[in-house]
Amino acid sequence: MQSGIHPAYEPVVFRDRAADFAFLTCSTATSDATVEWTDGNTYPVIDVEISSASHPFYTGTARVLDTAGRVERFECRYGKREAR
């Protein structure tokens, strides 16, 4: 890699305020806000709106759509598709 053209890859804390969840990882994202982590060090913190702790897919609260009912309604309105 060429030196001097790549952004700094440093530890950053991503915090989901809705779920009261935070995790430490490395990223090129930066922030002026900081937070003291459990290891006693201070890291930049980036607040996110949604994470795996609050996303419906990961928490198991996702809604399942009734696709069979929709297909049946469509077929009733417009008829079944003819075989070729």
Side-chain angles (χ1 to χ4, degrees):
M1 289 184 356
Q2 284 183 319
S3 61
I5 64 166
H6 299 286
Y9 188 69
E10 298 175 347
V12 177
V13 173
F14 286 92
R15 179 173 53 191
D16 182 358
R17 289 188 173 251
D20 194 28
F21 176 72
F23 59 94
L24 176 66
T25 187
C26 289
S27 177
T28 58
T30 60
S31 174
D32 293 332
T34 60
V35 67
E36 186 173 334
W37 193 243
T38 56
D39 63 1
N41 294 328
T42 302
Y43 298 105
V45 64
I46 297 175
D47 292 322
V48 294
E49 294 181 16
I50 196 159
S51 70
S52 61
S54 61
H55 193 280
F57 179 80
Y58 294 106
T59 59
T61 59
R63 295 182 305 182
V64 178
L65 296 176
D66 179 23
T67 57
R70 292 179 184 206
V71 171
E72 290 171 1
R73 265 190 303 198
F74 180 84
E75 288 176 350
C76 287
R77 284 185 189 161
Y78 303 106
K80 289 189 176 188
R81 190 173 181 185
E82 294 180 18
R84 293 183 181 188

